[in-house]
Every structure is written in C-alpha cells, then in structure tokens.
Amino acid sequence: MPAMDGEGQTSEIGCILSIKERTAAFHLDNAKKKLGVRTKNQAVTLLASSRSSIL
C-alpha cells in the first residue's frame, strides 16, 4: 500500500480502501473534527508527532 502523506486525494484514498470517494471524504472530515484540525496535512502532522512521543 502506498504511503499517505496528507496530500492524498479522497479518490485515491477511496480506491485504496475500496470505498467511494464521498465515503472517504465523510470519514476524513469526521477525523479532522475530532482532532481539531482543518486540513489533512495538519492531521497527519499531529498524528505523526503524537506517535513519535509514544515510541
């Protein structure tokens, strides 16, 4: 599976997960709300920094 860098389009994400683009966008929007961020890039950065502090 290709690495996701925060810039992946929802159509690519949907294809990788075998779901519709709209479903991918819906779940990404919910994840961003829960993380308190506005962009996918911010979400990836936040999660990457929290994962490195756990390890």
Side-chain angles (χ1 to χ4, degrees):
M1 176 166 37
M4 298 308 296
D5 62 3
E7 295 301 321
Q9 300 298 316
T10 52
S11 59
E12 294 174 47
I13 295 167
C15 183
I16 291 167
L17 297 175
S18 300
I19 59 176
K20 293 188 182 282
E21 180 179 356
R22 182 67 198 124
T23 303
F26 173 79
H27 289 299
L28 285 169
D29 286 341
N30 283 337
K32 289 186 295 186
K33 286 177 190 173
K34 288 179 181 183
L35 293 170
V37 298
R38 296 178 76 186
T39 67
K40 287 183 275 186
N41 216 6
Q42 290 173 331
V44 169
T45 301
L46 177 66
L47 292 172
S49 67
S50 68
R51 289 182 87 187
S52 64
S53 65
I54 294 171
L55 301 175

